[in-house]
Amino acid sequence: MTSNPELIKKLTADFIKTEVDSNTWGTLYLCPKTNEKWQKIYVETEYHGGGHPVLFKLPDPRKIDLIEIVLNSEDLDEITTASALLVVNEKELKDEFREELIIAIENKINQKDFKWNKLNAEKIKSIISETQLFDKTNRRPILGKKNIDIEKDFEFYKDISERAKKIITTANTVYN
């Protein structure tokens, strides 16, 4: 899994293009050496330039797999890519991840063997930034809901945002 354009170009040079989706601009590939299927999609397509490419092996990584990658990978590109896929899946598939991710981050930094060093501080800040955990915007539908339910949704995102900001503050304080 990568979002590095040079690496994507290098990897896909040896792949066989099997399908292009004109609606999503996604491309399916087959690796002739391993017979593995890969997919290239674009994330953040609402931004200038049409978004950033992301390449990953199929089947699509599940939410639990993506959270595992962001927490345990040592590769910042892989962390960024998995984070971007969490956001895309939330937006397009309505697959919420924020509560599970903030709990997983809190559990990780509260483990006895966790140390705030430069790499861990950068990883945690990158995860929170790339997944926009600090943003308290309600991402749930509001049409047809009662005000009390909309308020509960707002409080849900606000709580996650405050917890994420607290972690970033700790990362900046402990390792700066």
Side-chain angles (χ1 to χ4, degrees), residues 135-158:
D135 184 356
K136 61 184 174 189
T137 302
N138 179 6
R139 288 163 169 75
R140 294 177 177 160
I142 60 171
L143 289 177
K145 282 189 172 179
K146 295 180 180 179
N147 284 343
I148 191 159
D149 294 325
I150 295 170
E151 185 64 29
K152 284 180 187 176
D153 288 344
F154 169 74
E155 290 299 326
F156 171 81
Y157 288 100
K158 180 180 168 193

Side-chain angles (χ1 to χ4, degrees), residues 31-88:
C31 175
K33 295 176 187 170
T34 64
N35 241 12
E36 295 171 324
K37 295 178 182 178
W38 291 74
Q39 182 173 18
K40 180 173 75 173
I41 63 170
Y42 290 85
V43 298
E44 299 174 338
T45 55
E46 63 275 13
Y47 295 115
H48 181 70
H52 305 286
V54 171
L55 180 70
F56 55 90
K57 195 182 318 180
L58 293 174
D60 292 2
R62 299 172 309 154
K63 174 176 44 180
I64 193 166
D65 300 325
L66 294 171
I67 290 173
E68 179 74 19
I69 290 167
V70 298
L71 289 178
N72 297 312
S73 178
E74 300 293 320
D75 182 346
L76 288 176
D77 174 51
E78 191 173 53
I79 292 167
T80 301
T81 304
S83 296
L85 288 174
L86 283 168
V87 173
V88 166

Side-chain angles (χ1 to χ4, degrees), residues 70-72 100-128 133 160 162-175:
V70 298
L71 289 178
N72 297 312
E100 291 163 83
L101 180 57
I102 196 73
I103 289 169
I105 292 170
E106 290 168 337
N107 289 341
K108 183 161 187 85
I109 65 175
N110 289 322
Q111 290 175 352
K112 290 180 182 178
D113 62 340
F114 181 82
K115 303 235 184 311
W116 280 110
N117 56 35
K118 184 176 181 179
L119 177 62
N120 282 335
E122 290 303 316
K123 279 176 53 173
I124 298 296
K125 290 191 296 186
S126 175
I127 293 165
I128 290 172
L133 286 181
I160 291 172
E162 289 170 356
R163 291 158 64 190
K165 288 175 183 175
K166 182 178 176 185
I167 293 168
I168 288 176
T169 300
T170 300
N172 287 335
T173 304
V174 175
Y175 196 83

